[in-house]
């Protein structure tokens, strides 16, 4: 990126957000930690008393520890929705094991002679626990709490996936946007938090045994104060709640554009792409950012709001082919163009839905579609050369590659080899320019923003109009790479705002401007 | 007074303690003696219910201990352990005050009693503020004793109280132990595997083997009227020294040349130590008298 500011400037500029996120982060960490201590400590004491349960309790806590955090967060959406609740529960689960285990180990580690002496002096079980066992086990228990704290500071970054905030918003936003400053603005404070808390707790651990009593009393107070930090920052309210991916939050053709061009003011939370659609379906969110042909649109009954001011650049799909291949196979262009105009957004969404959600093979989906459109012809088993078709590594591209493969085999005398699943844009495009494949489906927006990367002024002038974009990439590609853009297939897989169909009908919100009007109404 | 009746403890098939009975009179000091694994410690721990008996009963001052709350029973019995069992997170002062605290004594009373005891036990007042780990083994053992004596319980149970100490420290502390007025009034049951210690400290000795009592008696009875071969074999290696220590001048009085200045309670051992300076008799006279006594007693 050309005009990337330095880190300090970024942190200064975003200091409000940074503070909010840091406070949220501390709050999340400590709320869950308090609950984990409240549950883990008694549980550890219990299994130290009844050792036959220790295997089961430590085993279960251990298994929960190994559940991948993002999966755990995913499980919790149907139960607890999104936001702080599931995040706290997940963090609680991760903090539990070290606390239970260290309490258990700490108590078992108390010298048997000391507890025997305590018993023989006439102490009751409770007195032995509070006067002898817990104070002596305290350094070990504190070590467990320390471990749990550091784990929680780390895992709390993932809370941003389910809209619970925290420094993960910057970290994952930065990763999606390839913005190093943003990543560091989240990662450095998170690392510092871990180091600081670890240090403070280590000091607590080293306090002389004598002074442990008042120190132990201050821990709960301190934890409560830190935990309450979560509730200080609160976003401005609005009737609807939006959930945007970290990438969308930072893009001009995303949240920034929404604010600038539409003046949209909506309460926004940051959430992972993986759980966003589901959260909208579960009515945890009202408006989400997404891709306009994503199969989940149909799966979850969502609808795209029309971008009436054109802030989302067009991502029209079209096959791009090497000029040399077009010469080698004169009938290729005509064949590929058979598909042009046949697939609109809703058809593509439907097709994606069939592969992504009904788990039908791309081959079957492609064939069914061609048959239905009366485009399908059985293979001629041609022998006149091999056309090599590439595709990127997601469902939509697989379907398109299959369709082209069937068309070429049906309408020409060439045979086909498909090289599907070629990583990202860069890998696919490199394969094309290096004559490893003859063609693959590409999107105009990607061609413009990722491959050509012209000045921002040119981008601004082009993105409002789908034809201008298409014409620009077509001429530039021929000039620069000797690659031809054939006719667009018809659908536009761009960024979009979406709502539940039902809600959209109820509120009469069909376009982004409608949404703004609805929100501005008191 | 402590009365133990047919006390048994089985751990599965193993009879750790098998039908043990004895009585300890008020102010008496009974030593449970035996090799490790003979059941002496298990017997001791059943008296303050650290271990619950399989069968049999224990009466302390005619009260069945099973009728009492274990905690309140233990508050009335002092307990001294081999490894002291001091609380590492308490200062010496706090360690000593554990039982009075549990009994709800006021601050001044605890302080006064502490001062009194550390004087008797030759502990420096500066040690009160430090932690057990900073003390020597001998000092720790004194603190352990102080803790057990704080509330002045009438009964004292001691489990190898000097077991963790080196021989020199041990001999010294034993001597003090005998002179301590706090202890002379108490009914004490003490466990040891050290024969010398048993003979030195015990009014009577209960020799145990494989969970059973082999013989109960005074040191002299064990030496000169052993119940069986096991008893004489057990005492064999230290026999001569034990005999010298347990026979008093009173016992051999009739065989001594002059009897008017004799201190009746002095042991033969100590008389021999002072034989050369203005003693009651010289060494050969003493040995001679002892031999005659031995012949007479065996007859």
């Amino acid at each position: 990126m050309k005009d990337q500011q330095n880190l300090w400037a970024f942190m200064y500029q975003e200091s409000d957000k940074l503070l909010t996120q840091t406070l949220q982060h501390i709050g999340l960490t400590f709320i869950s930690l308090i609950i984990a201590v409240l549950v883990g400590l008694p549980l550890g004491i219990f299994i130290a008393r009844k050792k036959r349960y220790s295997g089961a309790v430590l085993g279960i806590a251990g298994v929960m520890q190994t559940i991948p955090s993002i999966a755990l967060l995913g499980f919790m959406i149907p139960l607890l929705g999104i936001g702080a609740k599931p995040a706290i529960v997940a963090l609680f689960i991760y903090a539990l094991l070290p606390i239970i285990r260290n309490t258990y180990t700490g108590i078992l580690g108390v010298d048997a002679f000391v507890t025997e002496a305590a018993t023989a002096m006439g102490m009751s079980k409770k007195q032995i626990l509070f006067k002898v066992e817990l104070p002596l086990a305290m350094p070990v228990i504190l070590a467990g709490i320390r471990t749990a704290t550091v784990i929680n500071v780390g895992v709390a970054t993932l809370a941003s996936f389910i809209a619970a905030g925290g420094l993960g918003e910057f970290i994952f936003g930065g990763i999606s946007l390839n913005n190093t400053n943003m990543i560091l603005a989240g990662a450095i404070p998170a690392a510092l938090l871990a180091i600081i808390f670890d240090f403070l707790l280590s000091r607590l651990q080293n306090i002389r045994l004598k002074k442990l009593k008042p120190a132990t009393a201050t821990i709960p107070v301190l934890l409560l104060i830190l935990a309450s930090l979560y509730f200080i920052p609160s976003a401005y309210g609005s009737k609807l709640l939006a959930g945007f991916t970290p990438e969308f939050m930072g893009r001009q053709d995303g949240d920034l554009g929404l604010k600038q061009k539409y003046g949209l003011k909506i309460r926004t939370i940051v959430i992972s792409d993986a759980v966003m659609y589901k959260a909208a379906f579960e009515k945890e969110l009202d408006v989400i950012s997404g891709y306009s042909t994503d199969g989940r649109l149909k799966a979850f009954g969502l609808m795209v709001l029309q971008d009436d001011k054109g802030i989302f650049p067009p991502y029209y799909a079209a096959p791009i082919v090497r000029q040399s291949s077009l010469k080698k196979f004169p009938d290729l262009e005509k064949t590929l163009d058979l598909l042009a105009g046949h697939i609109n957004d809703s058809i593509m969404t439907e097709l994606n839905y069939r592969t992504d959600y009904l788990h039908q093979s791309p081959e079957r989906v492609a064939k069914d579609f061609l048959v239905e459109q009366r485009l399908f012809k059985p293979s001629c088993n041609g022998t006149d050369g091999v056309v090599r078709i590439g595709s990127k590594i997601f469902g939509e591209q697989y379907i398109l590659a299959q369709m082209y493969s069937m068309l070429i085999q049906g309408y020409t005398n060439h045979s086909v080899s498909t090289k599907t699943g070629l990583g990202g844009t860069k890998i696919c495009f490199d394969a094309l320019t290096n004559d490893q494949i003859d063609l693959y489906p590409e999107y105009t927006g990607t061609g413009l923003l990722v491959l050509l990367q012209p000045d921002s002024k040119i981008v601004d002038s082009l993105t409002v109009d789908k034809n201008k974009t298409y014409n620009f990439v077509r001429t530039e590609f021929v000039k620069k790479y000797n690659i031809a853009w054939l006719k667009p297939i018809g659908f536009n897989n761009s960024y979009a705002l979406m709502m539940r169909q039902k809600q959209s009908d109820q509120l009469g919100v069909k376009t982004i401007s409608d949404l703004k009007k609805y929100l501005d109404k008191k | 007074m402590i009365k133990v009746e047919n006390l048994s403890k089985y751990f599965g098939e193993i009879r750790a303690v098998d039908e043990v009975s004895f009585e300890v009179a008020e102010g008496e000091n009974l030593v449970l003696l035996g090799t490790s694994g003979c059941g002496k410690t298990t017997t001791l721990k059943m008296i303050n219910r650290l271990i619950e008996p399989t069968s049999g009963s224990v009466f302390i001052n005619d009260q069945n201990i099973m009728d009492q709350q274990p905690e309140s029973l233990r508050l009335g019995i002092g307990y001294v352990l081999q490894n002291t069992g001091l609380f590492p997170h308490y200062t010496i002062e706090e360690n000593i005050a554990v039982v009075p605290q549990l009994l709800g004594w006021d601050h001044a009373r605890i302080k006064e009693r502490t001062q009194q005891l550390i004087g008797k036990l030759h502990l420096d007042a500066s040690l009160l503020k430090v932690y057990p780990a900073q003390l020597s083994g001998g000092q720790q053992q004194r603190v352990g004793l102080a803790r057990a004596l704080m509330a002045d319980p009438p009964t004292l149970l001691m489990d190898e109280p000097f077991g963790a100490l080196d021989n020199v420290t041990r001999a010294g502390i034993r001597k003090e132990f005998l002179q301590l007025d706090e202890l002379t009034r108490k009914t004490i049951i003490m466990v040891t595997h050290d024969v010398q210690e048993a003979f030195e400290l015990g009014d009577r000795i209960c020799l145990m083997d494989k969970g059973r009592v082999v013989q109960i008696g005074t040191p002299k009875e064990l030496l000169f009227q052993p119940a069986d071969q096991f008893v004489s074999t057990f005492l064999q290696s230290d026999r001569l020294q034990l005999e010298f220590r347990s026979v008093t001048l009173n016992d051999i009085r009739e065989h001594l040349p002059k009897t008017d200045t004799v201190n009746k309670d002095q042991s033969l051992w100590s008389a021999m130590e002072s034989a050369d300076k203005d003693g009651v008799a010289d060494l050969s006279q003493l040995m001679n008298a002892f031999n005659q006594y031995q012949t007479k007693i065996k007859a």
Side-chain angles (χ1 to χ4, degrees):
Chain A
M1 282 180 201
K2 281 162 242 162
D3 52 355
Q4 197 161 32
Q5 321 125 291
N6 70 49
L7 176 61
W8 299 119
F10 180 86
M11 287 171 87
Y12 180 73
Q13 186 195 327
E14 301 280 340
S15 56
D16 273 4
K17 261 194 200 166
L18 190 61
L19 183 67
T20 310
Q21 291 184 11
T22 309
L23 293 182
Q24 283 175 335
H25 207 94
I26 298 172
L28 281 176
T29 305
F30 284 95
I31 293 173
S32 50
L33 197 67
I34 289 172
I35 305 172
V37 171
L38 289 179
V39 174
L41 205 63
L43 216 53
I45 294 167
F46 173 75
I47 59 173
R49 288 263 179 281
K50 315 246 176 212
K51 289 192 196 64
R52 69 202 136 111
Y53 295 110
S54 66
V57 170
L58 289 174
I60 292 168
V63 166
M64 292 202 292
Q65 187 88 9
T66 61
I67 302 173
S69 24
I70 186 74
L72 191 62
L73 294 174
F75 291 145
M76 283 184 189
I77 291 179
L79 301 173
L80 296 169
I82 56 170
K85 258 188 286 170
I88 288 167
V89 172
L91 288 172
F92 154 74
I93 285 173
Y94 287 115
L96 208 49
L97 180 66
I99 294 174
I100 298 178
R101 194 165 45 195
N102 282 40
T103 307
Y104 174 71
T105 321
I107 290 178
L108 291 194
V110 174
D111 191 341
F113 285 111
V114 174
T115 43
E116 187 188 294
T119 316
M121 295 300 111
M123 284 191 174
S124 66
K125 281 225 157 88
K126 201 173 134 196
Q127 286 168 327
I128 293 173
L129 179 67
F130 285 102
K131 286 177 187 252
V132 180
E133 288 176 311
L134 281 184
L136 286 176
M138 199 46 80
V140 184
I141 296 173
L142 276 176
I145 294 177
R146 207 173 137 189
T147 312
T149 311
V150 175
I151 291 176
N152 269 13
V153 170
V155 179
T157 54
L158 298 176
S160 65
F161 282 165
I162 48 169
L167 289 162
E169 283 187 15
F170 271 157
I171 296 177
F172 294 105
I175 290 172
S176 315
L177 294 167
N178 194 21
N179 181 342
T180 316
N181 285 335
M182 197 187 249
I183 299 174
L184 291 177
I188 292 174
L192 284 177
L193 284 184
I195 293 169
I196 291 169
F197 290 140
D198 191 48
F199 173 74
L200 291 178
L201 285 166
S202 78
R203 294 303 300 267
L204 212 59
Q205 219 174 330
N206 290 334
I207 289 177
R208 272 216 56 85
L209 292 165
K210 175 73 194 147
K211 293 176 195 148
L212 208 59
K213 275 178 244 163
T216 324
T218 55
I219 300 174
V221 179
L222 205 70
L223 287 181
L224 274 175
I225 294 170
L226 289 169
S228 64
L229 290 179
Y230 188 76
F231 299 101
I232 294 171
S234 63
Y236 54 90
S238 68
K239 283 175 268 185
L240 299 177
L241 180 63
F244 295 154
T245 63
E247 181 178 355
F248 189 83
M249 288 299 287
R251 283 180 75 129
Q252 189 56 42
D253 54 331
D255 188 51
L256 301 177
L258 282 176
K259 286 203 176 102
Q260 272 173 20
K261 295 214 174 146
Y262 286 98
L264 192 70
K265 277 187 192 146
I266 185 162
R267 192 153 63 91
T268 307
I269 55 174
V270 178
I271 190 167
S272 151
D273 171 69
V275 296
M276 181 174 66
Y277 294 90
K278 185 133 197 223
F281 173 69
E282 304 274 353
K283 300 189 183 169
E284 298 289 342
L285 295 172
D286 301 303
V287 180
I288 60 171
S289 65
Y291 295 98
S292 52
T293 59
D294 199 297
R296 287 174 289 194
L297 238 78
K298 181 172 164 64
F300 293 126
L302 305 174
M303 70 149 296
V304 171
L305 294 181
Q306 207 188 319
D307 175 23
D308 49 332
K309 289 191 180 168
I311 63 157
F312 301 127
Y315 278 70
Y316 281 92
I320 60 174
V321 197
R322 294 176 58 82
Q323 298 270 44
S324 58
S325 306
L326 290 177
K327 280 197 192 98
K328 190 174 162 196
F329 309 109
D331 46 359
L332 185 60
E333 180 165 0
K334 191 177 68 195
T335 316
L336 295 177
D337 280 346
L338 286 169
L339 207 55
H342 275 281
I343 306 178
N344 63 20
D345 290 5
S346 61
I347 293 173
M348 196 66 239
T349 307
E350 161 80 26
L351 297 178
N352 282 335
Y353 169 72
R354 286 174 60 183
T355 52
D356 293 349
Y357 273 81
L358 305 180
H359 300 295
Q360 297 172 355
S361 73
E363 204 176 347
R364 181 179 150 199
V365 174
K367 188 176 172 185
D368 287 353
F369 175 76
L370 292 179
V371 170
E372 189 192 319
Q373 297 283 319
R374 297 173 198 287
L375 287 171
F376 185 77
K377 275 191 191 174
S379 168
C380 310
N381 292 318
T383 49
D384 183 14
V386 182
V387 180
R388 299 156 303 170
I389 305 173
S391 90
K392 297 183 197 176
I393 195 158
F394 53 92
E396 183 170 293
Q397 290 259 328
Y398 287 126
I399 299 171
L400 293 174
Q402 284 302 331
M403 287 182 184
Y404 286 129
S405 165
M406 286 169 193
L407 289 174
I408 291 167
Q409 289 180 66
Y411 287 83
T412 74
N413 203 24
H414 313 306
S415 72
V416 171
S417 82
T418 50
K419 299 194 166 147
T420 51
L422 293 172
T425 302
K426 175 114 180 76
I427 295 170
C428 233
F429 188 69
D430 285 351
L432 189 67
T433 51
N434 291 312
D435 200 11
Q436 300 297 306
I437 53 174
D438 296 302
L439 68 112
Y440 77 90
E442 187 51 280
Y443 307 90
T444 53
T446 311
L448 181 73
L449 298 172
V450 179
L451 297 172
L452 290 173
Q453 297 191 1
D455 281 354
S456 53
K457 274 182 207 156
I458 300 180
V459 174
D460 282 348
S461 70
L462 292 172
T463 50
V464 286
D465 186 336
K466 68 172 185 175
N467 292 327
K468 272 190 186 166
T469 312
Y470 176 75
N471 290 332
F472 181 80
V473 293
R474 195 175 63 173
T475 39
E476 290 296 310
F477 266 59
V478 172
K479 256 199 281 182
K480 271 194 172 165
Y481 312 114
N482 255 326
I483 285 169
W485 283 78
L486 303 189
K487 285 185 190 149
I489 303 166
F491 67 89
N492 176 14
N493 186 6
S494 75
Y495 264 133
L497 284 195
M498 359 188 139
M499 294 178 76
R500 284 183 301 284
Q501 181 80 51
K502 225 175 172 179
Q503 193 179 33
S504 152
D505 294 344
Q506 273 169 9
L507 306 178
V509 171
K510 299 289 170 201
T511 67
I512 300 178
S513 296
D514 290 348
L515 180 66
K516 176 176 162 47
K517 261 183 252 157
Y518 172 75
L519 287 171
D520 289 349
K521 259 191 314 198
K522 284 285 164 179
Chain B
M1 210 224 3
I2 301 171
K3 194 164 149 199
V4 171
E5 280 179 355
N6 303 322
L7 199 61
S8 295
K9 179 69 190 180
Y10 304 157
F11 293 109
E13 288 294 296
I14 301 159
R15 299 182 168 207
V17 174
D18 194 7
E19 300 279 316
V20 165
S21 303
F22 56 78
E23 272 185 47
V24 190
E26 187 100 39
E28 197 190 10
N29 191 352
L30 178 80
V31 175
L32 299 178
L33 177 66
T35 49
S36 46
C38 73
K40 56 191 191 301
T41 298
T42 309
T43 305
L44 186 80
K45 287 183 179 174
M46 283 192 278
I47 295 169
N48 66 354
R49 293 183 63 183
L50 284 179
I51 294 175
E52 296 290 346
T54 308
S55 64
S57 46
V58 177
F59 296 91
I60 296 179
N61 297 328
D62 295 324
Q63 241 196 317
N64 190 336
I65 59 164
M66 298 313 283
D67 297 340
Q68 301 172 52
Q69 277 293 317
E71 285 83 16
S72 57
L73 169 76
R74 291 171 192 143
L75 280 171
I77 304 176
Y79 189 72
V80 182
L81 299 80
Q82 175 175 6
N83 293 42
T84 75
L86 295 177
F87 299 164
H89 59 307
Y90 279 22
T91 60
I92 300 308
E93 192 171 23
E94 290 167 329
N95 262 295
I96 293 176
V98 166
V99 180
Q101 291 272 10
L102 293 173
L103 291 169
W105 286 18
D106 65 49
H107 200 71
R109 189 174 167 201
I110 293 177
K111 200 149 193 181
E112 194 194 322
R113 175 69 177 148
T114 306
Q115 292 302 330
Q116 189 186 9
L117 259 185
I118 61 165
K120 285 182 180 173
L121 287 164
H122 309 297
L123 283 164
D124 197 283
S126 66
L127 295 178
L128 289 177
K129 299 290 172 200
V130 304
Y131 290 88
Q134 293 161 268
L135 264 53
S136 71
Q139 287 171 324
Q140 288 188 14
Q141 204 56 52
R142 287 161 207 258
V143 175
L145 193 57
R147 179 174 65 177
L149 292 174
M150 254 313 253
D152 201 13
T155 312
L156 203 58
L157 304 179
M158 308 177 101
D159 184 10
E160 302 263 9
F162 312 119
L165 303 176
D166 63 87
N167 283 329
V168 178
T169 317
R170 204 164 159 164
I173 215 169
R174 272 203 310 244
K175 211 164 268 172
E176 280 177 33
F177 183 89
L178 282 171
Q179 289 157 3
L180 202 62
D181 64 335
E182 294 268 347
L183 291 175
T184 49
R185 298 177 274 117
K186 293 202 188 309
T187 309
I188 300 174
I189 300 181
M190 184 169 113
V191 161
T192 185
H193 63 272
D194 183 326
V195 180
Q196 302 257 10
E197 193 167 283
F199 275 70
E200 203 171 318
L201 300 178
D203 295 327
R204 281 192 304 145
I205 293 166
C206 170
L207 182 62
M208 291 181 70
D209 185 43
K210 293 177 186 140
R212 304 191 71 104
V213 175
V214 185
Q215 186 174 5
I216 303 181
T218 61
K220 253 184 284 179
E221 283 168 353
L222 260 70
L223 278 169
F224 299 114
Q225 288 128 38
D228 60 13
Q229 192 58 40
F230 177 83
V231 182
S232 27
T233 317
F234 194 86
L235 304 177
Q236 198 53 52
S237 60
D238 298 311
R239 175 167 287 278
L240 194 61
Q241 200 195 2
L242 294 175
E243 288 183 356
F244 285 163
R245 278 188 187 280
S246 47
V247 172
T248 60
L249 291 189
N250 197 34
D251 295 324
I252 55 169
R253 189 183 178 138
E254 48 182 302
H255 311 294
L256 287 173
K258 42 179 180 173
T259 54
D260 43 336
T261 55
V262 163
N263 172 1
K264 290 200 276 183
D265 292 334
Q266 192 179 16
S267 74
L268 182 54
W269 180 267
S270 81
M272 285 161 82
E273 279 179 330
S274 57
D276 293 335
K277 324 162 246 169
D278 67 298
V280 285
D282 65 25
L283 207 55
S284 65
Q285 285 171 325
L286 286 170
M287 284 305 292
N288 200 18
F290 175 67
N291 283 337
Q292 289 177 28
Y293 170 76
Q294 246 187 334
T295 332
K296 191 184 116 191
I297 225 166
K298 278 176 187 164

